[in-house]
Amino acid sequence: MIFELIPTTLRMSTPLGFAALGGIYSERSGIINLALEGMMLIGAFGYVVGTQTSGSTWIGLLVGTSFGLAMALLHAIATVTFQAEQVVTGIGINILALGITEYLSPPPKQVDGLPHWELPLIGSYSFMVYLLPILMVASHTFLFKTPWGLRLRAAGESTEALAALSLSRTKWQYLGILLSGLFTGIGGCFLASEVHYFTKGMTAGRGYLALAAVIFGNWRPLSGVSACFLFGFATALELANRWNIPGQLLHSLPYILTMVVLVGFVGTSRPPASLGKMKS
Amino acid sequence: MNIRKLFVSLVRDETSQSRKFFLSCIPPLLAIFGFFLLCGIVVYLREQDALEFYRIILLSGFASLDDFGYVLFNATPLIFTGLAVAIGYKSGLFNIGCEGQLYVAAFAAAWMGMHLNLPVPLLVPLCIGSAMIAGAGWGAIPGFLKARYGAHEVINTIMMNFIAFALMNYLVTSVYQEQGQMIPQTPQIHEAAQIPRLASLIPILPQSNPLNVSFLIACACVVFCYIFLTYTRWGYELRLVGNARDVASYGGINPRAVTVWVMALSGAIAGLAGVAEVMGYRYRFLDSFSSGWGFTGIAVALLGRNNPFGILAAAILFGLLNKVALDIDILLGIPRGLFFAGQGMLIIWLVCIEGISRKKNDI
């Protein structure tokens, strides 16, 4: 029974996982990123447009990812250079992405998905599904085992430490946000490549769900992506709809769990110390 | 005050109130100007007549009383959500949860309106009151979690939004759906719970115009918020906690208690947007009726610089933009997305300008 749900779980949690990794980079560098939703949406849009115009899914992936990066750059310029309110900027970007994709909405023509790889025992999935665990481990290694990761985290934890080493907080925050756009854009590409279409507002709150996973996973790549698998499993249960549980309850389970975790009933949730704080 | 004196105070007198007010108006006006300029450029790039575009913008909202009625109708929920966001913001809280609060409140109003059959003077206040309580409750939960456990209200209000969407979807599809209907909506509320349309009071307004008394409630709410924030003790406490939390503590104000009641008040006001929809327009609860009013409220509050009267003006502007977006779509075939994109840009510009001015003040 549970095994039947694995394919759906993997398909549902992979875009979340990419976005959550993105969210972790940004938030670890001290920038609240509510723009995940918009970055993911524009990534999906870019994938479909890129694939439609060039005929190649790889170009689509490239376009989608760079659209995600462009949104991230906008977020970085606003929040880091102009010290704009991060929460509001994020929401502005989400509205902007929704508007752009609606305005330029691509023709409803089916596009090819990214290549699927057949693996013994596991089955046939998009190669992105296999990429996610690799990137998850790589992100963990980067953030917690390398000096660069340490600096990126220092941008979000202690500005003084960076200043003492005469390193620029601005640079590391830009890096964090851009990585966020890169990963989230890829997540959006995956979403569109599995659905084969672009529809208006197709992310449907997945960006916010990924943000919930970031918090649920205590701002760590391994637990953040694991949270995405849990959330994806909840969605798979909801879609399978074989028990008499209202689907809406399963749907809101991730949100309720995140609130419980945030309040500190389960374990300790500790955001980066200067998350959301402006310079000065 | 004579013109000369006003001019001198605007240009020279650094401490004058009118100068401060004048300067604070510049960024929003610039942003609006930039918005229309950008839209015009996009229209020009589409090889369509940009002048025709501007003509439609000007005519769309003001050609007749009917048109202006639609503008005010569009503005009504945004006035409420804008005020709700601003009240939170003044005390240093981000209420991103207006969307969820207005849904819960709308459902409460619809439920009361469906189940109780009472005379108008009893039923209308009862419906509005229960909607406000529902909205306040939905807002107070993140407020309490912030005050008691230090959990960030931004995340919790977002989570509460999604929980509200799911809950409403469940109620309206599984429990209270209108019999024999495919549309996820509740049955109609009793006539006694319906807020009259202004067209029935003002004869020159066409009967089809949806503008209703909830707009007048919104205006009253603007005045209430202004007086509340400026002249009452609670308003003072709220602003003090927002500007100088430590000072507030020293002064004997409990910032935690303020956090909870501010979020409740903000939720109650956001809830009135749901009331306007259910009691003033549709007379039933329709699933996902709001087109992001809670989020647009953030833009409205920003543009109105968190001043209740500024918010009224900003909400009317956004009401106009929504009407224009529809007209442009019909008349010129330009998708409405252009205006959403512009709205997003507007928000980003405004926060950037605010950020720059904050930076300047720090140095």
PDB file of all heavy atoms in Angstrom, chain B residues 293-321:
ATOM      1  N   TRP B 293      -6.929  39.802  -2.188  1.00  0.00           N
ATOM      2  CA  TRP B 293      -7.135  41.094  -1.518  1.00  0.00           C
ATOM      3  C   TRP B 293      -6.198  41.278  -0.333  1.00  0.00           C
ATOM      4  O   TRP B 293      -5.727  42.372  -0.069  1.00  0.00           O
ATOM      5  CB  TRP B 293      -8.588  41.205  -1.034  1.00  0.00           C
ATOM      6  CG  TRP B 293      -9.570  41.311  -2.151  1.00  0.00           C
ATOM      7  CD1 TRP B 293      -9.331  41.796  -3.407  1.00  0.00           C
ATOM      8  CD2 TRP B 293     -10.939  40.915  -2.135  1.00  0.00           C
ATOM      9  NE1 TRP B 293     -10.474  41.722  -4.152  1.00  0.00           N
ATOM     10  CE2 TRP B 293     -11.474  41.188  -3.407  1.00  0.00           C
ATOM     11  CE3 TRP B 293     -11.772  40.364  -1.158  1.00  0.00           C
ATOM     12  CZ2 TRP B 293     -12.800  40.925  -3.729  1.00  0.00           C
ATOM     13  CZ3 TRP B 293     -13.081  40.102  -1.492  1.00  0.00           C
ATOM     14  CH2 TRP B 293     -13.595  40.377  -2.760  1.00  0.00           C
ATOM     15  N   GLY B 294      -5.965  40.176   0.385  1.00  0.00           N
ATOM     16  CA  GLY B 294      -5.104  40.277   1.553  1.00  0.00           C
ATOM     17  C   GLY B 294      -3.705  40.714   1.174  1.00  0.00           C
ATOM     18  O   GLY B 294      -3.064  41.483   1.889  1.00  0.00           O
ATOM     19  N   PHE B 295      -3.223  40.226   0.021  1.00  0.00           N
ATOM     20  CA  PHE B 295      -1.871  40.579  -0.404  1.00  0.00           C
ATOM     21  C   PHE B 295      -1.847  41.970  -1.027  1.00  0.00           C
ATOM     22  O   PHE B 295      -0.906  42.730  -0.823  1.00  0.00           O
ATOM     23  CB  PHE B 295      -1.327  39.537  -1.371  1.00  0.00           C
ATOM     24  CG  PHE B 295      -1.213  38.195  -0.739  1.00  0.00           C
ATOM     25  CD1 PHE B 295      -2.039  37.157  -1.098  1.00  0.00           C
ATOM     26  CD2 PHE B 295      -0.291  37.985   0.274  1.00  0.00           C
ATOM     27  CE1 PHE B 295      -1.950  35.925  -0.480  1.00  0.00           C
ATOM     28  CE2 PHE B 295      -0.193  36.760   0.902  1.00  0.00           C
ATOM     29  CZ  PHE B 295      -1.032  35.725   0.524  1.00  0.00           C
ATOM     30  N   THR B 296      -2.897  42.308  -1.782  1.00  0.00           N
ATOM     31  CA  THR B 296      -2.962  43.652  -2.344  1.00  0.00           C
ATOM     32  C   THR B 296      -3.036  44.676  -1.215  1.00  0.00           C
ATOM     33  O   THR B 296      -2.539  45.792  -1.358  1.00  0.00           O
ATOM     34  CB  THR B 296      -4.185  43.788  -3.274  1.00  0.00           C
ATOM     35  OG1 THR B 296      -4.225  42.664  -4.127  1.00  0.00           O
ATOM     36  CG2 THR B 296      -4.102  45.042  -4.103  1.00  0.00           C
ATOM     37  N   GLY B 297      -3.648  44.273  -0.098  1.00  0.00           N
ATOM     38  CA  GLY B 297      -3.725  45.156   1.067  1.00  0.00           C
ATOM     39  C   GLY B 297      -2.350  45.633   1.510  1.00  0.00           C
ATOM     40  O   GLY B 297      -2.206  46.771   1.982  1.00  0.00           O
ATOM     41  N   ILE B 298      -1.340  44.783   1.344  1.00  0.00           N
ATOM     42  CA  ILE B 298       0.023  45.174   1.717  1.00  0.00           C
ATOM     43  C   ILE B 298       0.473  46.328   0.822  1.00  0.00           C
ATOM     44  O   ILE B 298       1.027  47.325   1.305  1.00  0.00           O
ATOM     45  CB  ILE B 298       0.976  43.969   1.578  1.00  0.00           C
ATOM     46  CG1 ILE B 298       0.559  42.871   2.546  1.00  0.00           C
ATOM     47  CG2 ILE B 298       2.413  44.383   1.840  1.00  0.00           C
ATOM     48  CD1 ILE B 298       1.151  41.528   2.239  1.00  0.00           C
ATOM     49  N   ALA B 299       0.196  46.198  -0.478  1.00  0.00           N
ATOM     50  CA  ALA B 299       0.557  47.266  -1.407  1.00  0.00           C
ATOM     51  C   ALA B 299      -0.213  48.536  -1.091  1.00  0.00           C
ATOM     52  O   ALA B 299       0.339  49.647  -1.131  1.00  0.00           O
ATOM     53  CB  ALA B 299       0.273  46.830  -2.845  1.00  0.00           C
ATOM     54  N   VAL B 300      -1.482  48.378  -0.743  1.00  0.00           N
ATOM     55  CA  VAL B 300      -2.311  49.541  -0.428  1.00  0.00           C
ATOM     56  C   VAL B 300      -1.764  50.270   0.801  1.00  0.00           C
ATOM     57  O   VAL B 300      -1.621  51.496   0.801  1.00  0.00           O
ATOM     58  CB  VAL B 300      -3.777  49.097  -0.203  1.00  0.00           C
ATOM     59  CG1 VAL B 300      -4.605  50.223   0.373  1.00  0.00           C
ATOM     60  CG2 VAL B 300      -4.393  48.617  -1.501  1.00  0.00           C
ATOM     61  N   ALA B 301      -1.416  49.493   1.826  1.00  0.00           N
ATOM     62  CA  ALA B 301      -0.890  50.106   3.045  1.00  0.00           C
ATOM     63  C   ALA B 301       0.434  50.812   2.775  1.00  0.00           C
ATOM     64  O   ALA B 301       0.681  51.915   3.271  1.00  0.00           O
ATOM     65  CB  ALA B 301      -0.707  49.044   4.128  1.00  0.00           C
ATOM     66  N   LEU B 302       1.272  50.182   1.945  1.00  0.00           N
ATOM     67  CA  LEU B 302       2.569  50.784   1.604  1.00  0.00           C
ATOM     68  C   LEU B 302       2.380  52.096   0.870  1.00  0.00           C
ATOM     69  O   LEU B 302       3.013  53.101   1.174  1.00  0.00           O
ATOM     70  CB  LEU B 302       3.313  49.850   0.662  1.00  0.00           C
ATOM     71  CG  LEU B 302       4.352  48.912   1.194  1.00  0.00           C
ATOM     72  CD1 LEU B 302       4.850  48.057   0.056  1.00  0.00           C
ATOM     73  CD2 LEU B 302       5.497  49.692   1.792  1.00  0.00           C
ATOM     74  N   LEU B 303       1.493  52.050  -0.126  1.00  0.00           N
ATOM     75  CA  LEU B 303       1.264  53.227  -0.961  1.00  0.00           C
ATOM     76  C   LEU B 303       0.620  54.335  -0.136  1.00  0.00           C
ATOM     77  O   LEU B 303       0.927  55.513  -0.324  1.00  0.00           O
ATOM     78  CB  LEU B 303       0.360  52.840  -2.132  1.00  0.00           C
ATOM     79  CG  LEU B 303       0.294  53.806  -3.296  1.00  0.00           C
ATOM     80  CD1 LEU B 303       1.657  53.959  -3.929  1.00  0.00           C
ATOM     81  CD2 LEU B 303      -0.685  53.297  -4.340  1.00  0.00           C
ATOM     82  N   GLY B 304      -0.253  53.962   0.777  1.00  0.00           N
ATOM     83  CA  GLY B 304      -0.904  54.960   1.625  1.00  0.00           C
ATOM     84  C   GLY B 304      -0.055  55.352   2.818  1.00  0.00           C
ATOM     85  O   GLY B 304      -0.523  56.063   3.698  1.00  0.00           O
ATOM     86  N   ARG B 305       1.174  54.896   2.854  1.00  0.00           N
ATOM     87  CA  ARG B 305       2.125  55.196   3.927  1.00  0.00           C
ATOM     88  C   ARG B 305       1.519  54.947   5.295  1.00  0.00           C
ATOM     89  O   ARG B 305       1.749  55.701   6.246  1.00  0.00           O
ATOM     90  CB  ARG B 305       2.654  56.621   3.800  1.00  0.00           C
ATOM     91  CG  ARG B 305       3.110  56.898   2.390  1.00  0.00           C
ATOM     92  CD  ARG B 305       4.302  57.805   2.237  1.00  0.00           C
ATOM     93  NE  ARG B 305       5.373  57.645   3.173  1.00  0.00           N
ATOM     94  CZ  ARG B 305       6.551  57.143   2.849  1.00  0.00           C
ATOM     95  NH1 ARG B 305       6.787  56.698   1.658  1.00  0.00           N
ATOM     96  NH2 ARG B 305       7.506  57.098   3.730  1.00  0.00           N
ATOM     97  N   ASN B 306       0.720  53.909   5.398  1.00  0.00           N
ATOM     98  CA  ASN B 306       0.121  53.478   6.658  1.00  0.00           C
ATOM     99  C   ASN B 306      -0.744  54.536   7.325  1.00  0.00           C
ATOM    100  O   ASN B 306      -1.055  54.436   8.508  1.00  0.00           O
ATOM    101  CB  ASN B 306       1.193  52.996   7.646  1.00  0.00           C
ATOM    102  CG  ASN B 306       1.883  51.759   7.137  1.00  0.00           C
ATOM    103  OD1 ASN B 306       1.237  50.825   6.697  1.00  0.00           O
ATOM    104  ND2 ASN B 306       3.194  51.764   7.137  1.00  0.00           N
ATOM    105  N   ASN B 307      -1.127  55.563   6.568  1.00  0.00           N
ATOM    106  CA  ASN B 307      -2.042  56.568   7.086  1.00  0.00           C
ATOM    107  C   ASN B 307      -3.453  56.201   6.618  1.00  0.00           C
ATOM    108  O   ASN B 307      -3.658  55.957   5.434  1.00  0.00           O
ATOM    109  CB  ASN B 307      -1.611  57.927   6.536  1.00  0.00           C
ATOM    110  CG  ASN B 307      -2.589  59.027   6.884  1.00  0.00           C
ATOM    111  OD1 ASN B 307      -3.795  58.891   6.702  1.00  0.00           O
ATOM    112  ND2 ASN B 307      -2.069  60.114   7.377  1.00  0.00           N
ATOM    113  N   PRO B 308      -4.447  56.129   7.534  1.00  0.00           N
ATOM    114  CA  PRO B 308      -5.780  55.673   7.120  1.00  0.00           C
ATOM    115  C   PRO B 308      -6.332  56.419   5.908  1.00  0.00           C
ATOM    116  O   PRO B 308      -6.887  55.787   5.003  1.00  0.00           O
ATOM    117  CB  PRO B 308      -6.619  55.938   8.360  1.00  0.00           C
ATOM    118  CG  PRO B 308      -5.666  55.794   9.481  1.00  0.00           C
ATOM    119  CD  PRO B 308      -4.355  56.322   8.982  1.00  0.00           C
ATOM    120  N   PHE B 309      -6.164  57.735   5.864  1.00  0.00           N
ATOM    121  CA  PHE B 309      -6.706  58.462   4.716  1.00  0.00           C
ATOM    122  C   PHE B 309      -5.886  58.185   3.459  1.00  0.00           C
ATOM    123  O   PHE B 309      -6.426  58.105   2.353  1.00  0.00           O
ATOM    124  CB  PHE B 309      -6.791  59.956   5.010  1.00  0.00           C
ATOM    125  CG  PHE B 309      -7.826  60.266   6.057  1.00  0.00           C
ATOM    126  CD1 PHE B 309      -7.444  60.536   7.363  1.00  0.00           C
ATOM    127  CD2 PHE B 309      -9.174  60.219   5.753  1.00  0.00           C
ATOM    128  CE1 PHE B 309      -8.391  60.772   8.339  1.00  0.00           C
ATOM    129  CE2 PHE B 309     -10.131  60.449   6.715  1.00  0.00           C
ATOM    130  CZ  PHE B 309      -9.739  60.733   8.021  1.00  0.00           C
ATOM    131  N   GLY B 310      -4.580  58.020   3.648  1.00  0.00           N
ATOM    132  CA  GLY B 310      -3.732  57.619   2.522  1.00  0.00           C
ATOM    133  C   GLY B 310      -4.174  56.264   1.977  1.00  0.00           C
ATOM    134  O   GLY B 310      -4.187  56.043   0.770  1.00  0.00           O
ATOM    135  N   ILE B 311      -4.555  55.372   2.908  1.00  0.00           N
ATOM    136  CA  ILE B 311      -4.991  54.038   2.504  1.00  0.00           C
ATOM    137  C   ILE B 311      -6.285  54.119   1.710  1.00  0.00           C
ATOM    138  O   ILE B 311      -6.455  53.423   0.704  1.00  0.00           O
ATOM    139  CB  ILE B 311      -5.147  53.142   3.745  1.00  0.00           C
ATOM    140  CG1 ILE B 311      -3.755  52.771   4.239  1.00  0.00           C
ATOM    141  CG2 ILE B 311      -5.962  51.890   3.447  1.00  0.00           C
ATOM    142  CD1 ILE B 311      -3.722  52.180   5.589  1.00  0.00           C
ATOM    143  N   LEU B 312      -7.183  55.006   2.147  1.00  0.00           N
ATOM    144  CA  LEU B 312      -8.440  55.192   1.407  1.00  0.00           C
ATOM    145  C   LEU B 312      -8.128  55.587  -0.038  1.00  0.00           C
ATOM    146  O   LEU B 312      -8.655  55.002  -0.991  1.00  0.00           O
ATOM    147  CB  LEU B 312      -9.291  56.264   2.096  1.00  0.00           C
ATOM    148  CG  LEU B 312     -10.629  56.602   1.443  1.00  0.00           C
ATOM    149  CD1 LEU B 312     -11.548  55.402   1.473  1.00  0.00           C
ATOM    150  CD2 LEU B 312     -11.275  57.784   2.141  1.00  0.00           C
ATOM    151  N   ALA B 313      -7.218  56.562  -0.183  1.00  0.00           N
ATOM    152  CA  ALA B 313      -6.851  57.020  -1.528  1.00  0.00           C
ATOM    153  C   ALA B 313      -6.198  55.894  -2.316  1.00  0.00           C
ATOM    154  O   ALA B 313      -6.527  55.661  -3.485  1.00  0.00           O
ATOM    155  CB  ALA B 313      -5.914  58.221  -1.426  1.00  0.00           C
ATOM    156  N   ALA B 314      -5.279  55.171  -1.665  1.00  0.00           N
ATOM    157  CA  ALA B 314      -4.554  54.102  -2.364  1.00  0.00           C
ATOM    158  C   ALA B 314      -5.503  52.989  -2.773  1.00  0.00           C
ATOM    159  O   ALA B 314      -5.382  52.433  -3.871  1.00  0.00           O
ATOM    160  CB  ALA B 314      -3.449  53.549  -1.464  1.00  0.00           C
ATOM    161  N   ALA B 315      -6.471  52.673  -1.899  1.00  0.00           N
ATOM    162  CA  ALA B 315      -7.418  51.606  -2.223  1.00  0.00           C
ATOM    163  C   ALA B 315      -8.272  52.012  -3.417  1.00  0.00           C
ATOM    164  O   ALA B 315      -8.559  51.184  -4.293  1.00  0.00           O
ATOM    165  CB  ALA B 315      -8.300  51.295  -1.020  1.00  0.00           C
ATOM    166  N   ILE B 316      -8.662  53.295  -3.464  1.00  0.00           N
ATOM    167  CA  ILE B 316      -9.453  53.752  -4.609  1.00  0.00           C
ATOM    168  C   ILE B 316      -8.615  53.665  -5.879  1.00  0.00           C
ATOM    169  O   ILE B 316      -9.095  53.235  -6.932  1.00  0.00           O
ATOM    170  CB  ILE B 316      -9.997  55.176  -4.365  1.00  0.00           C
ATOM    171  CG1 ILE B 316     -11.044  55.126  -3.244  1.00  0.00           C
ATOM    172  CG2 ILE B 316     -10.603  55.755  -5.628  1.00  0.00           C
ATOM    173  CD1 ILE B 316     -11.559  56.454  -2.785  1.00  0.00           C
ATOM    174  N   LEU B 317      -7.319  54.003  -5.758  1.00  0.00           N
ATOM    175  CA  LEU B 317      -6.441  53.873  -6.927  1.00  0.00           C
ATOM    176  C   LEU B 317      -6.379  52.416  -7.397  1.00  0.00           C
ATOM    177  O   LEU B 317      -6.486  52.140  -8.596  1.00  0.00           O
ATOM    178  CB  LEU B 317      -5.034  54.375  -6.584  1.00  0.00           C
ATOM    179  CG  LEU B 317      -4.083  54.235  -7.759  1.00  0.00           C
ATOM    180  CD1 LEU B 317      -4.241  55.385  -8.732  1.00  0.00           C
ATOM    181  CD2 LEU B 317      -2.640  54.112  -7.323  1.00  0.00           C
ATOM    182  N   PHE B 318      -6.228  51.489  -6.441  1.00  0.00           N
ATOM    183  CA  PHE B 318      -6.172  50.083  -6.833  1.00  0.00           C
ATOM    184  C   PHE B 318      -7.514  49.603  -7.379  1.00  0.00           C
ATOM    185  O   PHE B 318      -7.552  48.760  -8.278  1.00  0.00           O
ATOM    186  CB  PHE B 318      -5.719  49.208  -5.655  1.00  0.00           C
ATOM    187  CG  PHE B 318      -4.234  49.099  -5.565  1.00  0.00           C
ATOM    188  CD1 PHE B 318      -3.505  49.992  -4.807  1.00  0.00           C
ATOM    189  CD2 PHE B 318      -3.557  48.122  -6.265  1.00  0.00           C
ATOM    190  CE1 PHE B 318      -2.134  49.909  -4.742  1.00  0.00           C
ATOM    191  CE2 PHE B 318      -2.178  48.029  -6.212  1.00  0.00           C
ATOM    192  CZ  PHE B 318      -1.467  48.930  -5.449  1.00  0.00           C
ATOM    193  N   GLY B 319      -8.606  50.153  -6.835  1.00  0.00           N
ATOM    194  CA  GLY B 319      -9.926  49.825  -7.378  1.00  0.00           C
ATOM    195  C   GLY B 319     -10.022  50.271  -8.816  1.00  0.00           C
ATOM    196  O   GLY B 319     -10.543  49.551  -9.684  1.00  0.00           O
ATOM    197  N   LEU B 320      -9.479  51.463  -9.075  1.00  0.00           N
ATOM    198  CA  LEU B 320      -9.452  51.981 -10.441  1.00  0.00           C
ATOM    199  C   LEU B 320      -8.607  51.071 -11.334  1.00  0.00           C
ATOM    200  O   LEU B 320      -9.013  50.710 -12.441  1.00  0.00           O
ATOM    201  CB  LEU B 320      -8.893  53.412 -10.437  1.00  0.00           C
ATOM    202  CG  LEU B 320      -8.675  54.048 -11.802  1.00  0.00           C
ATOM    203  CD1 LEU B 320     -10.005  54.317 -12.470  1.00  0.00           C
ATOM    204  CD2 LEU B 320      -7.891  55.341 -11.683  1.00  0.00           C
ATOM    205  N   LEU B 321      -7.421  50.682 -10.808  1.00  0.00           N
ATOM    206  CA  LEU B 321      -6.523  49.830 -11.600  1.00  0.00           C
ATOM    207  C   LEU B 321      -7.214  48.523 -11.977  1.00  0.00           C
ATOM    208  O   LEU B 321      -7.080  48.044 -13.103  1.00  0.00           O
ATOM    209  CB  LEU B 321      -5.250  49.513 -10.818  1.00  0.00           C
ATOM    210  CG  LEU B 321      -4.243  50.648 -10.676  1.00  0.00           C
ATOM    211  CD1 LEU B 321      -3.000  50.152  -9.963  1.00  0.00           C
ATOM    212  CD2 LEU B 321      -3.872  51.195 -12.037  1.00  0.00           C
TER     213      LEU B 321
END
